[in-house]
Structure formats: structure tokens, C-alpha cells
Amino acid sequence: RVAAVLLLWLLPPLLLIDHGHFQYNGVCFGLCLAAAGCVAQGRKLAAGVLFTSALLFKQIALYFAPAFFFGILALCWRQSGGGLVAAAGHVAMTGAVVLSTIAL
């Protein structure tokens, strides 16, 4: 895991290009990376807050939105035990967290 995080932090495009022309992309990508880590750990609410923050910070994060959508949706399904009503409750709770983040 540590090696994977270090490799992501040392991506040549981030080191060579980001700090010149594409300023502040590192913040957006850092938030996306933290959100991906939360998805991997099963923390869907934290992932929703972090990815929404990245999306509001720079809209380039929209490219990652389908992956996060399906990843968080899969977490909602898995954490509900496979029940449709319980999964809908998890989706509603995640949606409320995302909308609260937008409202802030």
C-alpha cells in the first residue's frame, strides 16, 4: 500500500506539469486520491465528502465521477447486505451527505 501511494504521489505529470500551467490540480487530485482510499476502506460517507470537495474545487474531477459513483454505489449495496430497501437507505444517506457538502 505504501508503495502504491508513493507511486501515485510521484506521477511524472503531476511533478513536471502541474506546478506550472495547471496550478492547483494537485489539491484536486489529492482530494480524489483520499476519496479513493476511503472507498477502498469502505468509508463511503467520507469518500462522498472528499470527492464532492474535489469536484467543487476543480471541475476536472468530473472525469472520475463515474468511477466514484459506481464504487460508492457498490459499497452501499455491499454494506446493506444485499437488501434493496437497506441499499436505498444507504444511497439516500450518502446523497444527503453529498448535498450537505455542496450546501456548505
Side-chain angles (χ1 to χ4, degrees), residues 34-104:
C38 288
V39 168
Q41 293 176 347
R43 298 169 51 202
K44 66 180 179 300
L45 299 179
V49 169
L50 289 168
F51 182 70
T52 303
S53 299
L55 187 58
L56 293 173
F57 186 76
K58 284 198 85 148
Q59 288 74 29
I60 195 167
L62 193 58
Y63 288 111
F64 309 126
F68 277 100
F69 172 77
F70 287 110
I72 292 173
L73 186 64
L75 278 176
C76 290
W77 180 260
R78 239 181 288 138
Q79 291 176 353
S80 71
L84 188 59
V85 174
H90 282 270
V91 170
M93 183 173 32
T94 305
V97 168
V98 167
L99 291 175
S100 299
T101 304
I102 292 170
L104 291 177

Side-chain angles (χ1 to χ4, degrees), residues 8-21:
L8 287 172
W9 279 344
L10 297 174
L11 283 173
L14 287 178
L15 293 175
L16 298 175
I17 297 171
D18 189 59
H19 299 295
H21 181 67

